Amino acid sequence: MAAEKLRDLSQPMDVALLDATVAAFYGTGSKEERTAADQILRELQNNPDMWLQVVHILQSTQNLNTKFFALQVLEGVIKYRWNALPVEQRDGMKNYISEVIVQLSSNEASFRRERLYVNKLNIILVQILKHEWPARWRSFIPDLVSAAKTSETICENCMAILKLLSEEVFDFSRGEMTQQKIKELKQSLNSEFQLIHELCLYVLSASQRTELIRATLATLHAFLSWIPLGYIFESPLLETLLKFFPVPSYRNLTLQCLTEVAALNFGDFYNMQYVKMYNIFTVQLQSILPPTTNIPEAYAHGSSEEQAFIQNLALFFTSFYKSHIRVLESSQENITTLLLGLEYLIGISYVDDTEVFKVCLDYWNSLVLELFEAHHNLDNPAVAANLMGLQHLKVESEFKVNAVISLKEEVSMPDLGTELPGIRQVWEFKMFLNDLDPTLGLLNRMSLICCGPIRVFSSNQRVVSHLDAWLTIPLIPGMVDGLGSQLLQRRHLYSGPMSKLRLLMICRMAKPEEVLIVEDENGNIVRETMKDNDVLVQYKIMRETLIYLSHLDHEDTEKQMLKKLSKQLKGEDWTWNNLNTLCWAIGSISGSMMEEQENRFLVMVIRDLLNLCEITKGKDNKAVIASNIMYVVGQYPKFLRAHWKFLKTVVNKLFEFMHETHPGVQDMACDTFLKIVQKCKRKFVIIQVGENEPFVSELLSGLPSTITDLEPHQIHTFYESVGNMIQAESDPQKRDEYLQRLMELPNQKWAEIIGQARQSVDFLKDLDVIRTVLNILQTNTSVATSLGTYFLSQITLIFLDMLNVYRMYSELISNSIAEGGPFASKTSYVKLLRSVKRETLKLIETFLDKAEDQPQIGKQFVPPMMDPVLGDYARNVTDARESEVLSLFATIINKYKGAMIDDVPRIFEASFQCTLELMITKNFEDYPEHRLKFFSLLRAIATHCFPALIRLSSQQLKLVMDSIIWAFRHTERNIAETGLNLLLEMLKNFQASEFCNQFYRTYFLTIEQEIFAVLTDTFHKPGFKLHVLVLQHLFCLVESGALTEPLWDVATVSYSYPNNMMFVREYTIKLLSTSFPNMTTTEVTQFVNGLFESRNDLSTFKNHIRDFLVQSKEFSAQDNKDLYAEEAAAQRERERQRMLSIPGLIAPNEIQDEMLDS
């Protein structure tokens, strides 16, 4: 009865009853009471007339939750229906909200008491402003400023409103408003900022009230990032902020404001003001936080306010330096304060807080990159001159030298002055090659002297070919000398902080992904169970930073690392963490040094680590050292390839670690062995100096004892590693002999099992036998992964027996499920049988996928599988079907393409209907693996065997199209994307076929409607790029004239459209107008017209759709990054190309090269 009374909105609502309902929802009553209250409140919230009761509710209730419920209803109306309301209703609501805010905030007591309610009202007011201001509420800012001057509490609340407004427009607008609306609001705020500026200054100079000053500083903080610079630098604002900085109660807010100012960067105009601000700031800072303070310790014992101050200080320094560090390098006095600030920042970087460290690390990375790029480009004077802002002219000729340069050898060259048009002088290049880094050192130190021969000095012999001496000549003699010296001075200026930064990076290096052995919270050494993505991201940035630091000064990097390692050996600095971070740092700079230096450095490191392992006692200690040895050697494959004895020693050490049962050591040993073999495989199959046979042969002889202590999954990794070695053997006879020796143990066991099974098939039903069969198959899969085509002799040996085992286990599974019902599939016995089936399919798929494209392999292996695998899939009960069958046949079709066209009907018949109707289209949850693999199979057929799809009957094709629509409706991202890619393939293939008209007449409108449905709901954002491509294809198609028949049904549509374009335009407008009643017909028509106009420009087309999604209010600003995923991917690729150009930035073991090690 009460519920009915509340639902009747034809008369003023019974607010007491609503209060009771809200109280029941938030109360501690029974679950049934809360559910009933929830149901009523939801119905009220969804009622389009409910908002008319909001004022009545707010005036009548004292319950804060009820007020919030009413404001929630109002917020929905403002967001989705505001512009559709009559003007009187809009004005009435706007005035009422404003009045309540003024009323509550004019009185100190009510303002403090009702603070939460006032905050919510402020949010509602700002939501209204986004629609009304500036066009329909021009006087808003003047009205607000006038109200603020009437009372200090009103002023405090006005500051809160202004802060919210700034955040809404500048911080949270993307995805909430169209580009045009954002631009309009920004312009309005800019043009009216003078009033706000005057109000803020007035408050800061005249008020003594702490809360008001804090609110004003918080508002300024929101505004400072975008206001015109004159308001900051040509007014007393900066001076006022610096005056507030030493005051403890305002310190953090002031520092945040100063950080916003520090982050601004609009040229050199205000450089002097920035220098003055920085110098005053550092003087004040020294009295607040003396330079001698141990900042990490102070942070650890400080209050939350003091900790926030350290965080804000890090943000201030990093923001200032990112934009203005160059200004501070201009005079000795400024350099002193700059170095002081860097000292503070290094101290803050040692603070044990991840967020603080991230802020510091981000800046260190950018500073070191900037210094590195200047250093790196010294061998390109044109780029270097540009870095320093110098003018230069290009010479029209190029002079090249081929010479062997020995110690102080002089290479004379003829005077070429007359041969270079327009050049009056020939310059001498005097180059001092950097012994340890010739690639960077060629023009590291350079002076130009007028006229004369070229002299090149080097302290050791180098071959220099094609020395491009005449790339760039400055206009003024000595200019490059000035340029080189400026860059060298800058490097010298930062050499002290950079050395301290190297130590910081070494001491705090994050854990790399390859390291599996970690210290748990109880101080025990254990195997890592879960990867920490934050740590991996941090490692990537730290590694990059340390590589730049290494390039800037290899000697200092090497010295600091070896010094720390020597302390570990002496036991002075021995802790697990110290050794770990040091070794992770050593491993991280792989590839950044010159080969000779890297070799010398690594010999010392590995020697010291092996010694440390010998002299250190305790299993945990040895496990940590073992982990570090394995990590370091795994990072330097180039060194190992060049030093066979070291490589052999390291591999034998890994074999030792394979017998070490401490958690994680064996796993890491096997993983490191695989990584090393992948990069050095040729070294193991040739006879090395001083050896009697290739290492692989020696390894195979001792294989049983090497793997004796390993777990099955570790043995599989080991077998994959040896498979990689065998794959590098070029002699087929030796390769087959090695493979036979490698597979001797599993083949022997397999032969025993098959022999026993021939006598009694029940032998195969034993649990231990099933486990052994599974293990043998997994071992085969591991070797097939690395051997590819060369695995042919081994798979031929077991293939037919394997199919027989597959068939038998499949029957056992089906019988168990048929007898025991669905729960039988969950028993350990059935699960084990299914594992054998899956591994069989995985082995075949791996071999066929990795094998080179040889048709005879397909002819040999595919026909025998048709009945045991494909026929079995069709015959099986639903719960016994393996999804791997679908992925196997997808692989086969992708591999053998058109050759499979005659088999498609058979594949279709065996897998299609039984998968789709019984397993996929019942709901979106069951059989997730089957879903993805089914659509991957369908895509393979559409891509490579499209003629087979054309031959399908109309009912079968409808089933295919329905399944594709079902796929892209799916909320599982992989399935939806596979469906959309498949749809695009189908659309393109049918457009090019003779059935173009017939296909599109049947499916065009359905596809358009379904794509718009998933495009405009918020569950399918990741598919945005593909949704846009499908729509673009459809709109281009109707414009192209490829369709020669009408898309509409001539029999039922009386109006004859002049062409398909007009019909699709009309249809789309109707479709979207019906779907989005909150949008006017004019808005929808503009959108549809825009689609046709921008159809040939993908970027414009995409942005047009993004704006529509915002306008339709379906997408809020919660998280719209998926709408910009394509741009983000392009940025990632550009970054990868940049990293490839710098030695060491991409670790040697990550580069997909041939790793020539012959």
Side-chain angles (χ1 to χ4, degrees), residues 657-676:
F657 292 149
M658 287 177 193
H659 298 289
E660 173 56 68
T661 54
H662 198 287
V665 174
Q666 289 171 307
D667 277 319
M668 205 166 163
C670 293
D671 290 350
T672 308
F673 181 48
L674 174 60
K675 186 191 286 187
I676 289 173

Side-chain angles (χ1 to χ4, degrees), residues 856-875:
Q856 75 272 15
I857 292 181
K859 285 174 188 163
Q860 180 182 344
F861 288 96
V862 175
M865 285 192 297
M866 280 300 189
D867 186 66
V869 175
L870 201 60
D872 172 78
Y873 182 88
R875 290 189 295 270

Side-chain angles (χ1 to χ4, degrees), residues 478-496:
M479 180 80 82
V480 173
D481 187 29
L483 155 64
S485 69
Q486 280 183 56
L487 288 170
L488 288 168
Q489 277 172 12
R490 192 161 192 249
R491 272 179 61 194
H492 179 69
L493 163 64
Y494 289 108
S495 60

Side-chain angles (χ1 to χ4, degrees), residues 11 121 186 449 655 728 801 844 898 1050 1065 1079 1094 1125 1131:
Q11 52 195 348
L121 286 168
K186 284 182 178 178
I449 306 160
F655 291 171
D801 287 332
I844 299 167
V1050 182
R1065 180 181 172 280
M1079 291 182 70
S1094 61
Q1131 176 59 34

Side-chain angles (χ1 to χ4, degrees), residues 1010-1036:
E1010 293 290 349
I1011 288 291
F1012 268 118
V1014 289
L1015 175 72
T1016 54
D1017 75 31
T1018 50
F1019 300 113
H1020 295 87
K1021 284 185 195 179
F1024 176 74
K1025 173 192 162 187
L1026 293 167
H1027 298 150
V1028 169
L1029 287 174
V1030 172
L1031 287 176
Q1032 187 193 27
H1033 176 89
L1034 295 178
F1035 282 92
C1036 286

Side-chain angles (χ1 to χ4, degrees), residues 101 105 111 115 122 126 144-145 147-149 151-167 193 195-204 207 211-223:
I101 290 173
S105 59
F111 184 53
R115 194 59 196 262
N122 290 343
V126 170
L144 190 79
V145 171
K149 289 177 180 173
S151 131
E152 284 198 307
T153 46
I154 290 180
C155 187
E156 187 182 334
N157 193 55
C158 287
M159 290 297 175
I161 292 169
L162 286 169
K163 180 173 180 282
L164 276 174
L165 180 60
S166 175
E167 288 169 348
F193 185 72
L195 288 169
I196 301 168
H197 180 252
E198 287 167 3
L199 178 66
C200 291
L201 279 179
Y202 173 69
V203 169
L204 293 177
S207 179
E211 292 89 347
L212 177 54
I213 292 173
R214 288 178 64 85
T216 307
L217 289 170
T219 302
L220 267 175
H221 176 241
F223 277 80

Side-chain angles (χ1 to χ4, degrees), residues 468-615:
D468 293 338
W470 298 99
L471 283 179
T472 305
I473 295 186
L475 286 170
I476 305 163
M479 180 80 82
V480 173
D481 187 29
L483 155 64
S485 69
Q486 280 183 56
L487 288 170
L488 288 168
Q489 277 172 12
R490 192 161 192 249
R491 272 179 61 194
H492 179 69
L493 163 64
Y494 289 108
S495 60
M498 291 304 103
S499 184
K500 289 177 181 174
L501 184 57
R502 283 183 195 96
L503 185 61
L504 168 72
M505 290 295 142
I506 293 165
C507 291
R508 293 208 61 169
M509 181 56 74
K511 187 180 77 62
E513 191 170 10
E514 298 91 332
V515 177
L516 303 176
I517 295 157
V518 294
E519 186 178 350
D520 68 8
E521 64 273 15
N522 302 318
N524 300 317
I525 293 297
V526 295
R527 190 192 190 292
E528 184 179 51
T529 51
M530 191 182 295
K531 297 284 178 202
D532 185 335
N533 285 331
D534 277 354
V535 171
L536 296 181
V537 170
Q538 190 173 311
Y539 168 74
K540 182 174 173 289
I541 299 168
M542 292 186 78
R543 178 180 169 278
E544 191 177 303
T545 309
L546 195 53
I547 283 168
Y548 295 142
L549 285 165
S550 173
H551 277 298
L552 286 171
D553 191 337
H554 293 303
E555 285 77 15
D556 187 56
T557 309
E558 182 182 340
K559 190 175 101 187
Q560 297 221 36
M561 288 178 169
L562 290 175
K563 186 179 172 188
K564 274 190 79 69
L565 187 54
S566 140
K567 281 186 174 181
Q568 297 287 313
L569 268 169
K570 292 173 187 169
E572 288 175 23
D573 202 15
W574 164 257
T575 68
W576 292 339
N577 187 57
N578 284 347
L579 182 67
N580 286 340
T581 54
L582 171 61
C583 291
W584 299 340
I586 291 169
S588 73
I589 60 167
S590 169
S592 67
M593 293 181 182
M594 290 307 298
E595 197 167 340
E596 290 167 34
Q597 185 187 9
E598 186 170 276
N599 290 350
R600 191 181 67 242
F601 170 61
L602 208 56
V603 165
M604 289 190 273
V605 167
I606 295 174
R607 185 196 61 207
D608 285 357
L609 285 173
L610 290 171
N611 286 343
L612 190 62
C613 196
E614 294 302 317
I615 63 173

